[in-house]
Amino acid sequence: MSTVRETRGGRAGKAKEEGGGDLPGAWAAYGRLLQHLRKRAGLNQQQLGEAIDYSLEQVDSVEQGRRPAKAAFTRAADRVLEAGGVLEVLQDEVDRAKLPRFFRNFAVIEAEAVSRFDYEPQLVPGLLQTEEYARALFAGHCPPLSEEVIDQRTEARLSRQKLLTRVPLAELSFIINEEALRDPVGSPEVMRAQWQQLLRMAALRNVEVQVMPAMRGFHPGKNGPFVVVETREHKHLGYFESQGVGCVVSEPAEVSTFALRYGKLRSQALNVEESARLIERMVGET
């Protein structure tokens, strides 16, 4: 679904995402609902903005689908408009639409997963990243992203982390190459905070973090990062991505290969306790 807005010349045009695609339909749907609720309440955009402490331009941008609503905006608007939570129901969809287009389908699968096993050779997995680490990654994107898009993608990545504590709990496993943990992203302070975050997340009873030690030699992860998920229907799916292209794998034989490789990686990586001690040493070295 395309977001339609008036151009300066008076003609209707399609609002575009950075990168050339049409803006997400979830933003447009949210905006139309917000406008309906605002008019039902007898408020104009200025009055709504003053009531929720946002500017007229911000309210207009959200209603037109040009800008996604943040969670704080949604909570305030839902309260002032006495919407009964209908705007908050849409917030997850709005947040997912901030993600890169190639990742959105998998994000829907991930949010409902009962288990998720992740191997990452180059970076700290997104579900475990701090805000500063994620922001540093997006700031280094090529071609460069605007500050607004960096903000949106950082917010969306942090929103995905609700999976870590969602009820019912999902079973989550992460294997990260030691080189990925030592490769500096951002400042030394950013890395120290990221290691500390890993230790906190690894302490959750549904989360396991293992480190594949440097100089381990050949192992099944050399082919690249991948994820194996189990859906609520107990269907197993694989996912991998590279250079801004993501692929969901559903063929049972291929998913079985992913699962077999992950099992091998788990046996070759440091165990959970050894991994925590290694990360603790890295924190102590800084």
Side-chain angles (χ1 to χ4, degrees):
M1 180 181 296
S2 300
T3 301
V4 179
R5 61 182 173 89
E6 291 296 315
T7 64
R8 289 187 177 181
R11 297 184 301 277
K14 292 180 179 179
K16 299 289 183 179
E17 281 187 277
E18 187 149 339
D22 295 343
L23 284 168
W27 298 358
Y30 179 103
R32 287 197 297 272
L33 178 59
L34 175 66
Q35 183 182 68
H36 168 75
L37 293 169
R38 173 180 60 77
K39 289 181 176 179
R40 187 187 68 174
L43 301 176
N44 60 33
Q45 290 180 337
Q46 181 73 42
Q47 290 168 328
L48 176 59
E50 290 173 355
I52 64 175
D53 200 25
Y54 282 83
S55 69
L56 168 63
E57 188 277 332
Q58 287 172 313
V59 173
D60 182 62
S61 292
V62 171
E63 285 195 358
Q64 295 300 317
R66 297 192 301 268
R67 174 182 294 175
K70 294 185 178 182
F73 180 105
T74 294
R75 288 192 296 270
D78 209 282
R79 182 186 69 254
V80 168
L81 298 175
E82 298 181 351
V86 296
L87 288 174
E88 294 189 71
V89 167
L90 291 178
Q91 189 63 45
D92 283 347
E93 293 298 324
V94 170
D95 287 340
R96 269 196 289 269
K98 299 174 187 175
L99 293 164
R101 185 179 294 271
F102 72 86
F103 189 75
R104 291 174 194 164
N105 287 341
F106 181 70
V108 174
I109 297 169
E110 173 189 78
E112 301 295 326
V114 298
S115 68
R116 185 186 188 283
F117 300 158
D118 186 331
Y119 169 68
E120 178 53 67
Q122 296 177 310
L123 299 166
V124 172
L127 289 177
L128 302 178
Q129 290 175 9
T130 64
E131 178 177 352
E132 293 77 13
Y133 185 99
R135 190 173 295 277
L137 289 177
F138 291 129
H141 191 275
C142 182
L145 302 173
S146 69
E147 288 299 320
E148 182 177 15
V149 172
I150 291 172
D151 287 344
Q152 290 172 5
R153 294 197 177 175
T154 301
E155 291 163 8
R157 180 157 294 178
L158 297 180
S159 178
R160 287 175 51 218
Q161 295 177 0
K162 289 183 289 188
L163 179 62
L164 295 165
T165 54
R166 184 205 69 197
V167 178
L169 292 173
E171 185 70 25
L172 305 173
S173 171
F174 302 88
I175 302 173
I176 314 168
N177 273 12
E178 181 180 347
E179 293 91 336
L181 297 181
R182 294 191 180 276
D183 192 19
V185 173
S187 67
E189 292 74 22
V190 168
M191 291 305 301
R192 180 182 175 86
Q194 180 60 74
W195 297 330
Q196 292 171 329
Q197 168 87 338
L198 288 173
L199 292 172
R200 286 192 296 272
M201 296 303 99
L204 297 175
R205 61 191 178 91
N206 62 313
V207 177
E208 290 187 351
V209 175
Q210 293 179 255
V211 177
M212 181 65 71
M215 308 302 290
R216 172 64 81 187
F218 181 81
H219 56 72
K222 294 294 185 179
N223 290 335
F226 65 93
V227 179
V228 180
V229 299
E230 180 183 2
T231 70
R232 285 182 177 177
E233 297 74 31
H234 304 293
K235 181 177 181 179
H236 292 83
L237 300 169
Y239 176 78
F240 66 94
E241 67 181 56
S242 178
Q243 297 297 323
V245 178
C247 183
V248 176
V249 178
S250 58
E251 175 61 39
E254 294 176 351
V255 178
S256 177
T257 297
F258 278 22
L260 178 62
R261 290 173 181 167
Y262 199 83
K264 290 280 189 180
L265 289 168
R266 271 183 135 167
S267 69
Q268 293 174 322
L270 301 178
N271 66 33
V272 170
E273 292 77 15
E274 293 167 339
S275 298
R277 287 196 292 270
L278 173 60
I279 297 171
E280 288 168 353
R281 289 197 298 272
M282 294 168 65
V283 172
E285 292 169 1
T286 59

